Amino acid sequence: MKSKLLYILVFVLGASNLVNGQLNDYKYIIVPKRFEGFKSENQYQTSTIVKYLFTKKGFTAVYDDALPEDLANNRCLGLTASLVDESPMFSTKVSIALIDCQSKEVYRTMQGVSRIKEYQPAYREALEKAFVSFDGMDYKYVPKKEAPKEQVQEKPITVSYRNDVQTLDEPAQSKVVQQEATPDNQSYKSLEPKPSGMVKAEEKVKAQPLTFEMLYAQPTGNGYQLVDSTPKVVLKLEETSIENVFLTDYAGNAVVFQKDGKWFLEYSENGEKKLQELNIKF
């Protein structure tokens, strides 16, 4: 019996430390002025109580209409508090769920219960009981650190197939490809004979320019993914052997690179090279 109790205690402590580590990744708790399911803002002072209790537990809580500048530019710095109300007829039962910028639930408190008949004191008592789940967490925001990149000596890499021509029986089918990839110039040019003017309708579709004001870089296994403020994945970047030069499948074949402190997307559209500046925040 003692060994079973010890196992349960170790499991609970381990789970608590795991959750604490997850919450330490987030700088803010965003509290809605009106929780889902409620008819008016701060009904029964629920928003005021939740913000006060988070602040009391050591979190930096802000209302959803008064976000700090860094949070407004990157919603992934914060978790949004959702009040889960499962109250039956004669009691109040609530818990708090914390949702990340990708709409995933990161943590949910225990359910707080109150049998007070009046709504405002009932919600206060039930929320105070639910917030017991944060006791002993010792929350402290720790910014995520990016893994250091390997120092790669920047050397121009030129790949040319100018003299490598494969000639078939019909001279019109000869193909020549010329390619260059350096930090200052990234190009891919096909010199194969152009097709006739009869082009299929689907081949005339142009790549849509990216119109996002800010894109946020999130590390992946082999590079980054760029998301907008929704957040929605806009581009996936694959690392190359050259620092600050990435491959992407935008428009079929494209390159994202940094030049003079700015980021650019270079791609080919109907044989014409296109260059678009991107506003990326790493």
Side-chain angles (χ1 to χ4, degrees), residues 1-271:
M1 182 68 178
K2 290 182 178 180
S3 61
K4 185 176 181 180
L5 291 175
L6 179 61
Y7 172 80
I8 294 174
L9 178 60
V10 170
F11 176 80
V12 171
L13 290 175
S16 177
N17 290 333
L18 177 61
V19 171
N20 188 31
Q22 290 177 332
L23 298 185
N24 287 345
D25 292 339
Y26 300 93
K27 187 176 180 180
Y28 300 100
I29 301 295
I30 304 170
V31 180
K33 279 290 188 70
R34 181 176 68 85
F35 286 110
E36 185 176 355
F38 287 79
K39 296 181 180 180
S40 60
E41 285 191 0
N42 200 26
Q43 191 171 6
Y44 312 127
Q45 292 191 339
T46 48
S47 298
T48 303
I49 295 170
V50 169
K51 184 176 183 295
Y52 165 76
L53 292 174
F54 269 117
T55 303
K56 187 177 179 182
K57 298 298 181 181
F59 294 87
T60 302
V62 297
Y63 287 123
D64 57 355
D65 62 350
L67 303 182
E69 183 177 358
D70 58 344
L71 180 58
N73 292 331
N74 182 8
R75 290 294 290 264
C76 293
L77 286 175
L79 293 171
T80 300
S82 174
L83 194 155
V84 183
D85 192 344
E86 298 176 331
S87 302
M89 184 174 295
F90 299 108
S91 63
T92 301
K93 295 183 179 181
V94 297
S95 57
I96 296 293
L98 296 179
I99 313 299
D100 68 10
C101 61
Q102 297 181 348
S103 300
K104 295 180 180 179
E105 184 174 311
V106 174
Y107 178 69
R108 181 179 294 213
T109 68
M110 61 182 289
Q111 191 175 73
V113 181
S114 174
R115 301 191 182 281
I116 300 176
K117 294 182 179 180
E118 297 180 7
Y119 285 115
Q120 184 170 321
Y123 275 104
R124 183 180 187 90
E125 181 182 52
L127 286 169
E128 287 176 344
K129 290 180 179 180
F131 268 78
V132 172
S133 300
F134 295 105
D135 289 351
M137 278 195 178
D138 192 24
Y139 161 82
K140 184 178 181 181
Y141 171 59
V142 179
K144 293 182 180 180
K145 295 182 179 179
E146 294 185 5
K149 296 182 179 179
E150 295 183 5
Q151 295 297 325
V152 180
Q153 186 176 0
E154 294 185 1
K155 294 182 179 180
I157 300 176
T158 303
V159 181
S160 177
Y161 297 93
R162 182 181 299 275
N163 299 319
D164 185 8
V165 180
Q166 299 177 356
T167 304
L168 302 179
D169 294 337
E170 297 181 12
Q173 294 180 346
S174 298
K175 297 183 179 179
V176 179
V177 177
Q178 186 176 2
Q179 179 175 331
E180 184 175 357
T182 69
D184 294 325
N185 187 23
Q186 297 78 32
S187 64
Y188 178 92
K189 186 177 182 181
S190 175
L191 303 179
E192 63 182 293
K194 295 184 179 179
S196 63
M198 300 299 292
V199 182
K200 295 181 181 180
E202 58 267 24
E203 295 177 351
K204 295 182 179 180
V205 177
K206 296 183 178 180
Q208 296 297 324
L210 300 179
T211 57
F212 304 93
E213 295 182 359
M214 175 72 74
L215 297 175
Y216 304 94
Q218 298 178 343
T220 61
N222 61 346
Y224 297 87
Q225 65 179 15
L226 304 183
V227 301
D228 58 17
S229 58
T230 308
K232 174 185 177 183
V233 177
V234 178
L235 287 177
K236 292 186 178 180
L237 308 185
E238 182 179 349
E239 289 183 337
T240 67
S241 59
I242 303 175
E243 186 177 3
N244 294 331
V245 177
F246 300 89
L247 300 178
T248 179
D249 58 358
Y250 180 80
N253 183 19
V255 176
V256 172
F257 64 97
Q258 187 183 51
K259 183 177 181 181
D260 299 330
K262 298 180 179 180
W263 287 95
F264 297 90
L265 169 69
E266 182 172 310
Y267 60 97
S268 179
E269 183 180 275
N270 294 331

